[in-house]
Amino acid sequence: MIRLRELRKSYVMAGRPLPVLKGIDLTIPTGELAAITGSSGSGKSTLLNVLGILDAYDSGSYELGDVLVKDLTEARAAELRNKYVGFVFQSFHLLPYKNATENVALPLYYAGIPRRERFRRANELLERVGLGDRADHLPNQLSGGQKQRVAIARSLVTNPRLLLADEPTGALDSATSKEIMDLLVEVNRAGTTVVVVTHESVVADRCPRRIRLVDGLIAEDQHS
Amino acid sequence: MIDAALEIFESLSRHGVRTVLTLLSVAWGTFVLVVLLGAGQGLSNTAGHEFRDDAVNSLWLYRGTTSRPWDGLPVGRSVTFTNADLPFLQARIPEIDHLTGRFYTWGGQQISANGRSSDFDVRSVHPDHQFLENTKVVKGRYLDELDIEEHRKVTVIGVPVAEFLFRGADPLGQWISVGGVPFRVVGVFDDDGGENETRMVYLPISTAQAAFGGYDRVHQVMFTIGDASVEESVRIEQEVRQLMSARKRFDPDDPRALRVRNNVEGYAQIVHILALLEAFVWLVGLGTMTAGLVGVSNILLVTVRERTGEIGLRKALGARPSSIVGSIVAEAVLLTGVAGYLGIVGGVACIALIKVGFPDNEYIRDPAVRLGPALAAGAILVVAGAIAGAAPAIRAASIRPVEALREGAQ
Ligand SMILES: Nc1ncnc2c1ncn2[C@@H]1O[C@H](COP(=O)(O)OP(=O)(O)O)[C@@H](O)[C@H]1O
Ligand SMILES: [Mg+2]
C-alpha cells in the first residue's frame, strides 16, 4: 500500500533549511493498522501530511498503491486525495454551518457524485458509526466523541484505501478515546489501511504495528 | 451546476450582512449610472427637440444695424435685404442647395373664412422654405415657383388653422382672407415644431410684398448648405459676410451689421456638449460602480481570510484549485449581477417616475434608458464582478491545506 524510500523533507526557517524527515524507509502493506509515535516535534505530522499528499517531500520516493506520488499538480493531488485517502484530525475540522450528513457528504461533492446519492451514502456512513439519529445535528450540537465519529464517517465516505488519523483522540477523554479507537479498529478489520499518529501509548497499544520516530528517523518498528 | 449554485447561495446567505452591504454598494453605483444616463438622454432629447423642426445644415441671415463706421459712413445704419440679394448669394456660393427669403407682415394678421376669424402668424416665403423648416404637406401642395412668378394669391395653411376655419370640411380650393386680402388654399401642412409652427399660414413672398406694401424688401434670408462640415459652414459664413459687407457697405468684422445663425455649428456644438456630458456620466457612474466593486473585492478577501481553515479543509477533502477559484468568482459575479440588476431596475423605475412626475419638463424631455447602455452596464458589471472576484479567488487557491489545518491555526 505504502512504500517510502529514503524520504527526506526539510522546512526553511529563517532562510536556513530545517531537516524534519531525514531519510525514512517504510513499507506499510494493505490492510495494516499502524501507529506512528514519537515525541512532539519528531516529525510525525509532517510524515502523515506527506502520506496524505497534502505536502510535498524533497527527495526519496513515495509510492501509494501503484501511483508514484511525486511532482504532482495541485489538481492531480486533490484528485488522488479525494479518491484514495481519508483524513481524521485532532480537532475534527467539521464545517460548523453544515449538519452531520452534509459534512460527511462533502468529499463526494468534489468527487462529482449527485446530491441525492451523496446524502444517501453519507447517511449510510453515519449509521455505520452509530450516529444515524444525529444526521441533521450541527457540529455544536454534538459531543467531542460524536464529532470525531462524524469526521471518521466523512473520511470513509469515498471508500478510500488509506485512512490517516493525526492524534484522533488528542481532544477526547479516555473513555471516548477508547470508543474512537474501537471504531478505527473496526474500520481496519473491514479492509481499510489505517495509520494513526499519536503520542498516547494506550492508543498505540491498540495497533498491531508501532513505528516510533525520533528526530526525523525511524527509531523503532514493532509488530505484535 | 445546481450543486455549485447551492454552495454559492449557502455561502452568501451565511454572510447576510456582508452580502446585503455589497449588494447595496454595487446596486447604488449601477442605479446612479442608469439614472444619469437616462437624464442625459433626456437632455439630449431636449436638444434634439430644439432642432427638430429646422434643417440643421442651414445658415440664417438676419438684418442688423452697423456698430462700426465704414467707408466714411456712420454707425447706426440699418442693413436690409432685398429680393435681389437671393440670386446674388446663390450665384456666388455654390454650396447653397435650398434658398429662401422671409417677409413678415407686422403683427398677427386677422385671418378669416366661413364667418370665423382669428389672429394667426403669416410667413411669406419662397418654395425652398419647405426644406428649411421641415414643413410636412399633409394635403394638397406647398408653394411653387409659379406662385412666386405670377404673384398668385394662394396659401398653405397649418392643420390647426384649417381645423379652426373649416371644421373638418375640405379646405382645398376655399378662399380665406388674410388681413383683408383673399387667398385660395392650395395645401395644408403640419410641422414637428408643434403649435408654434403650425398656427400660421404661408404665402408666396412676391404676392405678400405686393399685397402688404413690402416692395422688394426681405426680412430674413435662409439657406441650406448640403452636407457641409462645421469648418465649411464657418468658411461659408465668412464668405457671406464678405460678400454682403461689400454689397451693403459695412465693416465685414462688424458683428451687429449682419447677424448669422449657423445651425451647423450650433448643432455640432450641442452634439459635442452632449457627447461630453454622456462621457462624464459614464465616468461618474463607472467610478461609483468601481468603488462598489473594490468593496466587493475587499469583502471577499476578508471572507477568504476568515475561511482559510475551511478552504484548507475542502482542499484536503479533494477540492481542486479551479473549483475554489470558480466558486469565489461565481460568488462575486452573482453578487454584482444581482446588484446590477437591482440597480438597473431601480434606475429605470426612477426614470419612469421622473417622467410621470414631470411630464412636460422643458429641460429633461422624455428621459429614457436606451437598451444598449443598460445592457452594456449589465455586461460591464458581470465582467467587473469576475475581476473583483479574481484577487480573492487567487488568494484562496494559494491557501495550503497543511498550514490551514495545522492544530491551533484555525
Ligand atoms: N510549516 C512549517 N514550517 C517550518 N517548520 C515546521 C513547519 N511544520 C512543522 N515544522 C517543524 O517541523 C518539526 C516537526 O513538526 P511536526 O511534523 O508537526 O512534528 P510532530 O507532529 O511530531 O509534533 C517541528 O520542529 C516543527 O516546528
Ligand atoms: Mg503533530
Side-chain angles (χ1 to χ4, degrees):
Chain A
M1 173 96 267
I2 289 172
R3 192 188 297 269
L4 301 180
R5 284 202 191 93
E6 265 301 294
L7 190 112
R8 288 168 195 275
K9 177 171 180 64
S10 42
Y11 293 109
V12 177
M13 282 294 275
R16 295 177 50 194
L18 169 76
V20 176
L21 301 178
K22 301 173 179 170
I24 306 267
D25 283 293
L26 178 65
T27 304
I28 297 178
T30 303
E32 202 160 50
L33 170 54
I36 298 177
T37 63
S39 56
S40 178
S42 57
K44 306 183 296 290
S45 296
T46 304
L47 178 58
L48 202 74
N49 289 336
V50 169
L51 294 180
I53 326 179
L54 284 172
D55 211 350
Y57 53 93
D58 301 335
S59 66
S61 70
Y62 168 27
E63 283 164 70
L64 172 62
D66 44 17
V67 182
L68 174 64
V69 177
K70 193 158 202 176
D71 301 329
L72 301 177
T73 63
E74 268 206 70
R76 173 78 176 136
E79 189 189 328
L80 289 176
R81 283 198 294 271
N82 184 260
K83 225 164 148 180
Y84 297 131
V85 187
F87 292 97
V88 176
F89 306 94
Q90 176 176 354
S91 51
F92 325 126
H93 286 301
L94 300 176
L95 296 185
Y97 55 91
K98 285 189 187 283
N99 67 26
T101 303
E102 291 165 339
N103 265 292
V104 173
L106 196 56
L108 296 175
Y109 173 71
Y110 294 112
I113 308 290
R115 192 178 177 79
R116 190 188 277 271
E117 171 71 3
R118 290 206 299 268
F119 288 162
R120 193 187 62 70
R121 275 162 70 175
N123 283 326
E124 230 174 70
L125 259 299
L126 282 174
E127 209 64 63
R128 227 179 106 187
V129 300
L131 287 177
D133 56 340
R134 299 285 196 276
D136 53 0
H137 284 221
L138 292 173
N140 64 14
Q141 299 167 313
L142 299 170
S143 70
Q146 288 171 332
K147 285 186 209 174
Q148 198 59 302
R149 280 164 192 270
V150 172
I152 291 170
R154 180 180 65 192
S155 74
L156 294 174
V157 77
T158 52
N159 283 321
R161 298 185 203 165
L162 177 62
L163 194 157
L164 302 175
D166 193 349
E167 309 271 10
T169 59
L172 304 174
D173 61 46
S174 54
T176 320
S177 294
K178 185 180 172 305
E179 280 171 33
I180 291 301
M181 279 315 291
D182 288 344
L183 183 57
L184 288 180
V185 168
E186 190 189 317
V187 166
N188 174 250
R189 293 234 167 91
T192 310
T193 309
V194 178
V195 178
V196 182
V197 161
T198 184
H199 62 268
E200 296 172 63
S201 53
V202 225
V203 171
D205 289 345
R206 299 288 307 271
C207 301
R209 183 174 178 189
R210 292 170 301 280
I211 301 151
R212 195 156 67 86
L213 284 190
V214 176
D215 202 14
L217 282 168
I218 294 177
E220 211 175 343
D221 191 347
Q222 285 188 321
H223 295 258
S224 57
Chain B
M1 195 56 218
I2 291 172
D3 273 334
L6 281 171
E7 284 280 318
I8 290 167
F9 187 72
E10 213 176 60
S11 158
L12 290 176
S13 56
R14 234 178 323 123
H15 301 90
V17 174
R18 179 206 85 176
T19 303
V20 167
L21 285 178
T22 313
L23 277 173
L24 279 182
S25 70
V26 177
W28 173 247
T30 320
F31 175 83
V32 168
L33 177 63
V34 168
V35 168
L36 287 179
L37 279 177
Q41 182 63 35
L43 284 176
S44 168
N45 289 345
T46 307
H49 188 77
E50 293 299 313
F51 280 94
R52 75 204 171 283
D53 64 319
D54 301 330
V56 294
N57 61 336
S58 61
L59 263 59
W60 295 15
L61 315 184
Y62 301 90
R63 302 170 305 162
T65 310
T66 58
S67 63
R68 300 183 185 183
W70 182 254
D71 209 6
L73 297 167
V75 299
R77 275 184 314 119
S78 300
V79 173
T80 58
F81 304 129
T82 66
N83 285 341
D85 292 335
L86 277 80
F88 170 80
L89 287 174
Q90 178 91 71
R92 283 159 187 78
I93 299 184
E95 288 87 352
I96 293 181
D97 57 359
H98 296 293
L99 173 66
T100 180
R102 255 191 204 177
F103 171 78
Y104 293 111
T105 55
W106 295 120
Q109 289 284 353
Q110 192 76 11
I111 293 185
S112 49
N114 278 343
R116 279 181 281 273
S117 143
S118 181
D119 270 0
F120 291 105
D121 286 334
V122 176
R123 273 186 193 156
S124 305
V125 300
H126 289 93
D128 272 1
H129 192 274
Q130 183 178 8
F131 299 102
L132 270 297
E133 278 285 354
N134 286 341
T135 310
K136 296 182 173 54
V137 175
V138 296
K139 210 169 210 183
R141 65 170 177 85
Y142 198 71
L143 305 173
D144 63 22
E145 285 303 332
L146 272 181
D147 296 334
I148 305 289
E149 277 171 32
E150 299 182 357
H151 296 49
R152 284 180 181 162
K153 288 187 171 156
V154 295
T155 180
V156 181
I157 64 177
V159 168
V161 179
E163 188 52 37
F164 173 79
L165 293 177
F166 299 103
R167 307 280 143 134
D170 186 2
L172 292 187
Q174 303 292 321
W175 290 83
I176 64 171
S177 154
V178 179
V181 182
F183 286 82
R184 188 166 53 86
V185 178
V186 294
V188 179
F189 74 91
D190 203 353
D191 192 301
D192 286 341
E195 291 265 299
N196 282 344
E197 295 287 332
T198 53
R199 294 185 59 82
M200 69 171 59
V201 304
Y202 284 112
L203 306 178
I205 191 167
S206 58
T207 320
Q209 284 166 337
F212 302 108
Y215 309 101
D216 63 348
R217 255 181 292 136
V218 174
H219 295 119
Q220 197 176 326
V221 176
M222 307 151 79
F223 57 86
T224 60
I225 48 176
D227 54 5
S229 66
V230 174
E231 292 75 29
E232 285 167 327
S233 77
V234 171
R235 181 182 53 73
I236 292 168
E237 182 183 332
Q238 291 311 318
E239 245 174 79
V240 168
R241 282 190 188 283
Q242 290 294 342
L243 288 167
M244 292 306 264
S245 71
R247 184 170 166 84
K248 309 280 181 192
R249 297 174 72 196
F250 61 83
D251 183 342
D253 296 327
D254 184 345
R256 309 269 300 272
L258 172 70
R259 288 175 301 124
V260 180
R261 167 171 155 186
N262 185 339
N263 284 325
V264 182
E265 202 179 18
Y267 190 67
Q269 265 165 10
I270 294 216
V271 167
H272 183 65
I273 287 169
L274 286 174
L276 282 180
L277 188 80
E278 184 160 340
F280 177 72
V281 163
W282 275 101
L283 205 73
V284 170
L286 288 180
T288 319
M289 246 160 63
T290 307
L293 287 166
V294 169
V296 172
S297 199
N298 273 329
I299 289 169
L300 283 174
L301 268 178
V302 169
T303 41
V304 164
R305 207 165 299 149
E306 273 171 19
R307 287 161 55 186
T308 301
E310 172 178 342
I311 292 166
L313 173 74
R314 284 173 181 268
K315 285 185 156 186
L317 298 183
R320 288 159 209 221
S322 59
S323 132
I324 302 280
V325 167
S327 68
I328 288 172
V329 169
E331 211 173 295
V333 168
L334 186 77
L335 262 181
T336 53
V338 168
Y341 179 77
L342 291 178
I344 290 174
V345 168
V348 169
C350 176
I351 291 287
L353 280 179
I354 291 177
K355 213 157 160 176
V356 173
F358 308 93
D360 286 322
N361 187 317
E362 64 179 282
Y363 298 108
I364 297 182
R365 191 176 184 92
D366 275 344
V369 181
R370 280 169 296 155
L371 192 62
L375 289 180
I380 288 171
L381 268 172
V382 170
V383 172
I387 293 170
I394 288 167
R395 171 172 302 221
S398 70
I399 288 174
R400 302 192 23 182
V402 179
E403 270 146 46
L405 293 173
R406 197 152 354 126
E407 302 304 333
Q410 44 184 345

